[in-house]
Amino acid sequence: MKLYNSLTKKLEEFKPQTGNSVGLYTCGPTVYDHVHIGNLRTYIFEDTLRRSLKQLGYKVKHVMNITDVDDKTIARSHQKYPSDDPKEALKKLTRHYEDVFIKDAEALGIDFSESKIVRATEHVNQMQELIRNIPNKYMAADGVYFDITKYPDYGVFVNLDQSHTHHRIENDEYDKDHVADFALWKKKKEDHEPSWVFELDGQQLDGRPGWHIECSAMATHYLGQPFDIHTGGVDLKFPHHENEIAQSKSANGKDLSNVFLHAEHLLVDGHKMSKSLNNFYTLDDIAKKGYDPMAFRLLVLQSHYRSQLNFSWESLEAAQNALNTIMQWADLKHQPNATVMDEGIDANRWIKENFLAPLADDLNTPTALSELFKLIARVQPGEKLSDQNYASILTEIDKQLGLDVSDRPDIDEEQKQLIKQREQARDQKDWGKADELRKQLEEQGVGINDTPAGPIWFRL
Ligand code: AMP
Ligand code: ZN
């Protein structure tokens, strides 16, 4: 499999460090609110990566964190539950949004069934241990900081100049214009802040971890150091991943991850979709407008993960139509009237050469999908593939792309009878009755296409 490694800025043949097992760490959500569909684009990319690695025979050990303590979760939980104990308030808020996130992910076919999802608040000991092992740290009045001037490689992802100075930044989310020593640990300032006991070099520093230390500590706790692949959206290159690498490498003298992959952003009107710009939509917004969450998944897969994708309702509409096309094609397997046309279609060969080959080439989902649409276009109205070809191809689409098209049920007996009655009415040229029966079927969500081979139903 070829993957574009952000560390080397090259397309490389991927090789895990031990046998066929792959350690994969993906940065997870901060659970203070609904995630937006921009975030979900990145999780869909990571799900596709995991699926492809698995298909190639790798045993994937996937770890994802849940950021359930940071400035935003603390502020929001205090606002919502001001009279609760701070840790309880934080737990109430974050568990709720963690559940909401998992539900969104499930609706999008993101499969976490074999993933290890780990909460920051349950790994504070590992973070403290890591902080103890970092040589180039220092204490300031408000916490413990990482001294970037003592780490010569600082700035690999964003080509920073090396003239760093010693100012400090407490905020975890800053940009490259604000390069500074970053917080490993923040001392408690207000009564309403949840805090953990921490004694460092004889000083009592009760407080909470910075954001970056969380991923370094949890990733290496579960996957060792270095591990194989680390991913996130491009905005995480700096400062988050830069800081993760710096602190892990200074603590343990080894690289953090051999490969870093970064997914490009989902945009709205040319700007990154983000909470702070208030230009975001959630999966609920999509569902409320009547779109299938899978249409959003398909929209995401129709562009390469390293290209920006501009979201618009028109593009979602087009993706919904494309999804309907795939589903109608999948439903042909149930059609008694369609004639089998398998000429020149060898499912196994098609899967290998047209479908899996692009996926193994840096996850080229748009090419795999355009090959699928070419295959669909070969089947003329009134035709279908053989059961065996459908079974192989649809199963593979689901395994690789998670579109959930292989298990679609047949229509029920009553609906089949209505189709038969309509055919009889048409034979008797009773157009009124035929129309009436068509309407009845439509009310049940079943449409009819009259083809040379007879009526073919589709779900409306
Ligand atoms: P956050 O909760 O902000 O840490 O983001 C969670 C994940 O979503 C990270 O991997 C981010 O890089 C990613 N992300 C944030 N905004 C976008 C966006 N507009 N498009 C794609 N991914 C995003
Ligand atoms: Zn992270």
Side-chain angles (χ1 to χ4, degrees):
M1 183 180 212
K2 284 206 172 74
L3 293 170
Y4 185 87
N5 187 354
S6 305
L7 285 173
T8 56
K9 301 181 176 63
K10 277 194 201 120
L11 198 60
E12 293 172 352
E13 191 62 41
F14 171 66
K15 206 172 169 306
Q17 52 188 356
T18 38
N20 76 335
S21 117
V22 177
L24 167 67
Y25 185 86
T26 64
C27 289
T30 307
V31 284
Y32 67 106
D33 202 341
H34 289 254
V35 297
H36 58 65
I37 56 173
N39 303 127
L40 290 168
R41 178 190 189 190
T42 295
Y43 301 119
I44 291 171
F45 144 69
E46 287 154 352
D47 182 59
T48 316
L49 169 69
R50 199 188 45 70
R51 285 169 186 270
S52 274
L53 288 167
K54 215 176 143 184
Q55 194 284 327
L56 291 166
Y58 294 119
K59 211 171 154 342
V60 185
K61 196 166 175 196
H62 173 213
V63 177
M64 183 184 77
N65 65 306
I66 298 279
T67 301
D68 59 351
V69 55
D70 80 323
D71 292 341
K72 288 176 290 200
T73 46
I74 292 173
R76 191 66 70 87
S77 62
H78 177 58
Q79 195 183 29
K80 226 169 163 178
Y81 310 109
S83 46
D84 280 28
D85 165 76
K87 271 191 179 160
E88 282 306 310
L90 186 69
K91 192 168 169 182
K92 255 196 228 173
L93 179 98
T94 55
R95 292 294 167 89
H96 170 73
Y97 285 111
E98 182 184 312
D99 288 348
V100 171
F101 167 72
I102 299 290
K103 284 203 186 89
D104 280 358
E106 277 171 4
L108 286 168
I110 294 173
D111 181 6
F112 286 136
S113 61
E114 293 171 9
S115 304
K116 195 154 185 64
I117 300 183
V118 291
R119 301 185 185 107
T121 51
E122 292 169 1
H123 297 78
V124 176
N125 284 342
Q126 283 86 346
M127 298 177 210
Q128 293 181 344
E129 196 50 37
L130 179 57
I131 295 172
R132 283 185 216 286
N133 290 337
I134 294 173
N136 36 329
K137 61 178 182 288
Y138 62 92
M139 282 190 211
D142 59 351
V144 182
Y145 283 82
F146 183 93
D147 180 350
I148 60 173
T149 64
K150 298 222 176 85
Y151 180 76
D153 291 340
Y154 197 76
V156 286
F157 280 135
V158 281
N159 301 326
L160 291 179
D161 73 44
Q162 303 294 315
S163 55
H164 311 307
T165 53
H166 256 318
H167 59 286
R168 284 188 286 278
I169 190 146
E170 194 216 356
N171 184 356
D172 287 320
E173 290 164 74
Y174 51 94
D175 59 32
K176 118 180 157 158
D177 296 333
H178 299 95
V179 177
D181 294 348
F182 58 91
L184 297 165
W185 185 263
K186 303 179 187 194
K187 273 165 74 176
K188 177 173 171 162
K189 284 191 219 138
E190 315 257 359
D191 283 346
H192 73 259
E193 286 179 29
S195 65
W196 284 259
V197 172
F198 187 29
E199 202 199 298
L200 184 68
D201 299 339
Q203 287 195 49
Q204 207 56 41
L205 304 173
D206 297 1
R208 63 188 165 90
W211 173 37
H212 316 292
I213 200 77
E214 141 186 356
C215 289
S216 280
M218 292 195 278
T220 54
H221 178 65
Y222 290 102
L223 300 173
Q225 187 176 335
F227 53 92
D228 294 296
I229 308 179
H230 193 322
T231 69
V234 276
D235 56 308
L236 296 193
K237 275 187 182 176
F238 188 89
H240 187 51
H241 290 165
E242 192 72 60
N243 293 352
E244 281 185 31
I245 293 172
Q247 65 206 2
S248 291
K249 208 164 173 180
S250 3
N252 298 315
K254 292 183 266 184
D255 286 333
L256 176 61
S257 174
N258 294 330
V259 177
F260 270 81
L261 306 181
H262 289 103
E264 259 299 345
H265 283 145
L266 187 73
L267 311 181
V268 186
D269 298 328
H271 297 285
K272 176 192 169 196
M273 180 176 286
S274 71
K275 289 259 161 72
S276 53
L277 291 176
N278 203 24
N279 62 351
F280 66 94
Y281 301 110
T282 63
L283 200 60
D284 274 358
D285 296 329
I286 282 185
K288 273 188 205 131
K289 287 197 178 233
Y291 294 103
D292 188 332
M294 284 299 178
F296 178 68
R297 184 174 178 112
L298 183 59
L299 176 69
V300 166
L301 297 177
Q302 279 176 320
S303 74
H304 191 255
Y305 77 91
R306 284 194 290 118
S307 305
Q308 293 183 332
L309 167 59
N310 202 44
F311 177 81
S312 67
W313 292 105
E314 292 74 28
S315 62
L316 186 61
E317 177 76 26
Q320 179 72 65
N321 290 335
L323 180 65
N324 294 349
T325 302
I326 301 176
M327 293 192 296
Q328 284 171 20
W329 179 75
D331 285 344
L332 286 177
K333 70 178 179 190
H334 295 304
Q335 310 282 348
N337 291 325
T339 44
V340 174
M341 96 57 162
D342 267 350
E343 272 160 71
I345 296 173
D346 171 345
N348 290 335
R349 192 167 161 184
W350 181 87
I351 289 168
K352 197 164 163 247
E353 293 176 7
N354 301 60
F355 194 67
L356 297 180
L359 293 177
D361 182 13
D362 197 27
L363 291 182
N364 197 336
T365 51
T367 300
L369 279 165
S370 78
E371 289 294 330
L372 173 63
F373 284 108
K374 275 192 223 160
L375 180 67
I376 291 176
R378 283 171 67 176
V379 182
Q380 299 299 310
E383 293 180 341
K384 64 175 177 182
L385 302 185
S386 65
D387 287 350
Q388 210 181 354
N389 273 352
Y390 271 121
S392 314
I393 294 173
L394 293 174
T395 307
E396 210 56 36
I397 294 172
D398 278 3
K399 263 207 253 163
Q400 301 309 311
L401 303 182
L403 289 172
D404 196 19
V405 290
S406 64
D407 273 339
R408 294 169 58 76
D410 202 347
I411 49 173
D412 58 38
E413 280 310 313
E414 192 202 335
Q415 292 164 335
K416 287 183 188 171
Q417 284 309 320
L418 292 174
I419 295 175
K420 275 206 183 117
Q421 289 167 21
R422 177 174 170 273
E423 277 312 278
Q424 284 161 4
R426 278 159 52 89
D427 285 347
Q428 291 157 8
K429 304 209 176 345
D430 185 350
W431 309 120
K433 188 164 178 205
D435 267 0
E436 184 49 42
L437 286 160
R438 177 195 282 274
K439 263 194 213 126
Q440 235 177 297
L441 280 158
E442 283 174 358
E443 275 158 20
Q444 296 181 27
V446 176
I448 297 289
N449 259 336
D450 291 309
T451 74
I456 302 285
W457 58 260
F458 58 93
R459 288 196 176 78
L460 293 167

